[in-house]
């Protein structure tokens, strides 16, 4: 279940409640004291079996406020394990969506958010067919965080069904088609992006969260994507699902992603925090904490995240200067993989 309206990029998860995205109060954020009081009143009515129609002041509110209050009440019911009641509130919210301004991003986000959470409530209630239909609607409206769907424990009861497997298969195909479309758009712009030689010297060696050392010298013969990031950096977190997907897509051809995290502090607490983060985001590549001396190797470092692409000989051939899509990175990675085939076929060069 998601307490926030998801988008195509996938949202940074800043905490969990029983494995789900933690409550952030998005449904009633930014509204006045009167609306917040109504939210509390509606939640109390819902918890004690009250009917939506019983609250005349709520009925008098604008449709947008009523929708958000219904969604907030549904969240309370969900966490009270009253899934049928939660689904009923979400269906009431869906019925009000045509009254909201068409074409606005907030309306689209609410539509996705309601459909996804309705799917979760229905799945927990055992109505698998209706749950699949609701998830299909969320995907059709633009929900793109498939990794969240696959990791959401509210949907565990669906995973063995043919409908769920077909839904995920079609969603992955749409995702790949969209990625290839964006790739075509990026190709011309990235034609001259790779430098012909090393941009600057760079090396790293650090203990990864799994206890093993991750060293550049051990990765010679591979194309290496280094993500300089931090768990406290929101843009860094939002970029991770794309890097995970990129590693999956090009691992067999010789790509190795490495996440070097510039965390505050050091020691076991930092390591444990990174381990928990890696599990939550299903990171499929080595992650290691680093100190500021490693960042000093990067000239004119403007901030995080910064992505470096190294060819099979260990030379830095590209660095990010702004946010880059997974599609743009895929094109650059493919160019380095194709360029370095001869090096890769001979194996990693020996250090002299």
């Amino acid at each position: 279940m998601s307490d926030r309206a998801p988008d195509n990029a996938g949202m940074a998860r800043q905490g969990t409640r029983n494995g789900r995205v933690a409550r952030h109060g998005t449904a009633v954020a930014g509204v006045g004291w009167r609306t917040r009081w109504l939210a509390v009143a509606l939640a109390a009515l819902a918890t004690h079996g009250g009917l939506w129609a019983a609250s005349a002041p709520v009925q008098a509110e604008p449709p947008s406020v009523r929708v958000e209050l219904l969604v907030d009440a549904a969240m309370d019911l969900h966490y009270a394990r009253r899934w049928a009641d939660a689904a009923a509130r979400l269906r009431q919210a869906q019925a009000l969506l045509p009254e909201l301004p068409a074409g606005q991003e907030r309306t689209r986000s609410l539509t996705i958010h309601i459909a996804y959470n309705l799917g979760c409530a229905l799945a927990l209630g055992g109505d698998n067919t209706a749950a699949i239909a609701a998830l299909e609607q969320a995907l059709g409206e633009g929900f793109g965080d498939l990794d969240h769907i696959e990791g959401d424990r509210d949907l565990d009861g669906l995973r063995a069904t043919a409908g769920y497997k077909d839904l995920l298969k079609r969603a992955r195909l749409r995702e790949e088609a969209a990625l290839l479309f964006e790739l075509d758009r990026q190709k011309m712009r990235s034609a001259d992006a790779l430098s012909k030689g090393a941009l600057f010297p760079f090396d790293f060696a650090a203990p990864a969260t799994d206890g093993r050392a991750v060293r550049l010298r051990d990765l010679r013969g591979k194309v290496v994507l280094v993500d300089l990031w931090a768990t406290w950096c929101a843009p860094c977190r939002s970029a991770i699902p794309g890097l995970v997907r990129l590693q999956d897509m090009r691992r067999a051809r010789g790509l190795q992603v490495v996440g070097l995290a510039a965390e505050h502090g050091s020691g076991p607490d930092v390591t444990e925090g990174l381990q928990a983060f890696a599990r939550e985001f299903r990171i499929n590549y080595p992650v290691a904490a680093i100190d500021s001396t490693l960042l000093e190797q990067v000239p004119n470092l403007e901030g995080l995240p910064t992505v470096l692409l190294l060819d099979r000989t260990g030379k830095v051939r590209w660095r990010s200067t702004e946010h880059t899509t997974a599609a743009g990175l895929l094109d650059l990675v493919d160019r380095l993989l194709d360029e370095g085939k001869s090096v890769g076929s001979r194996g990693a060069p020996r250090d002299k």
Side-chain angles (χ1 to χ4, degrees):
M1 187 170 191
S2 172
D3 286 354
R4 293 165 295 169
D7 57 30
N8 262 334
M11 296 167 297
R13 293 164 196 152
Q14 300 176 3
T16 59
R17 176 187 292 187
N18 297 329
R20 293 184 291 275
V21 179
R23 187 185 183 100
H24 285 67
T26 299
V28 292
V31 298
W33 69 268
R34 180 166 174 265
T35 300
R36 286 195 293 273
W37 178 86
L38 286 168
V40 173
L42 179 58
L45 281 169
T47 301
H48 293 91
L51 298 176
W52 170 254
S55 181
V58 173
Q59 289 286 54
E61 291 297 318
S64 59
V65 174
R66 290 159 62 195
V67 167
E68 293 185 345
L69 292 177
L70 281 163
V71 170
D72 199 58
M75 295 299 170
D76 288 332
L77 289 163
H78 179 96
Y79 292 124
R81 302 175 69 85
R82 292 177 57 185
W83 299 308
D85 290 333
R89 293 293 184 273
L90 291 168
R91 290 194 189 280
Q92 288 176 315
Q94 275 189 329
L96 290 171
L97 288 174
E99 299 182 38
L100 303 188
Q104 291 190 3
E105 180 59 28
R106 181 58 181 158
T107 301
R108 172 183 169 274
S109 294
L110 276 170
T111 301
I112 296 171
H113 179 61
I114 291 168
Y116 180 83
N117 286 311
L118 177 59
C120 291
L122 291 167
L124 287 166
D127 192 345
N128 291 346
T129 301
I132 294 292
L135 293 174
E136 184 74 67
Q137 181 186 4
L139 290 166
E141 293 288 347
F143 178 47
D145 192 352
L146 302 184
D147 291 333
H148 180 79
I149 291 179
E150 292 188 275
D152 194 333
R153 288 189 290 177
D154 286 352
L155 304 176
D156 283 351
L158 291 179
R159 305 213 193 279
T161 67
Y164 175 84
K165 293 176 182 178
D166 182 62
L167 176 77
L168 261 294
K169 179 180 179 181
R170 287 183 284 113
R172 288 293 184 193
L173 289 173
R174 285 197 298 266
E175 181 184 58
E176 291 178 8
L179 187 62
L180 290 172
F181 175 77
E182 180 64 18
L183 176 59
D184 288 338
R185 296 175 57 190
Q186 293 277 350
K187 278 184 177 178
M188 292 305 297
R189 287 187 289 179
S190 62
D192 299 321
L194 295 173
S195 70
K196 298 194 181 300
L199 291 174
F200 51 86
F202 185 76
D203 194 14
F204 62 84
T209 55
D210 62 3
R212 293 179 290 183
V214 55
R215 297 181 292 247
L216 179 59
R217 69 183 185 186
D218 295 335
L219 300 175
R220 297 290 176 88
K222 294 180 179 289
V223 169
V224 179
L225 187 157
V226 175
D227 179 32
L228 301 174
W229 69 295
T231 56
W232 46 261
C233 163
C236 299
R237 295 193 301 268
S238 66
I240 284 176
L243 296 178
V244 169
R245 186 70 175 143
L246 195 61
Q247 180 68 91
D248 276 339
M249 294 174 69
R250 291 296 182 266
R251 185 191 303 275
R253 290 189 56 194
L255 171 66
Q256 181 59 63
V257 179
V258 176
L260 300 180
E263 296 297 281
H264 298 312
S266 60
D269 287 347
V270 169
T271 301
E272 290 173 8
L274 285 174
Q275 288 171 338
F277 190 94
R279 286 193 299 269
E280 182 180 354
F281 280 76
R282 298 189 174 189
I283 294 179
N284 55 359
Y285 50 82
V287 173
I290 58 171
D291 57 29
S292 59
T293 57
L294 191 145
L295 296 178
E296 291 169 2
Q297 296 184 54
V298 183
N300 303 315
L301 181 67
E302 296 177 358
L304 304 177
T306 289
V307 174
L308 310 177
L309 280 177
L310 286 67
D311 64 20
R312 294 185 192 266
T313 67
K315 296 187 176 98
V316 178
R317 300 284 301 281
W318 180 85
R319 63 177 286 180
S320 66
T321 55
E322 58 185 17
H323 176 71
T324 305
T325 65
L329 289 173
L330 178 61
D331 181 53
L332 294 168
V333 166
D334 280 346
R335 288 170 186 271
L336 287 176
L337 288 170
D338 291 340
E339 175 186 281
K341 280 179 180 176
S342 58
V343 174
S345 62
R346 292 193 301 268
R350 296 179 182 274
D351 291 334
K352 295 183 180 179

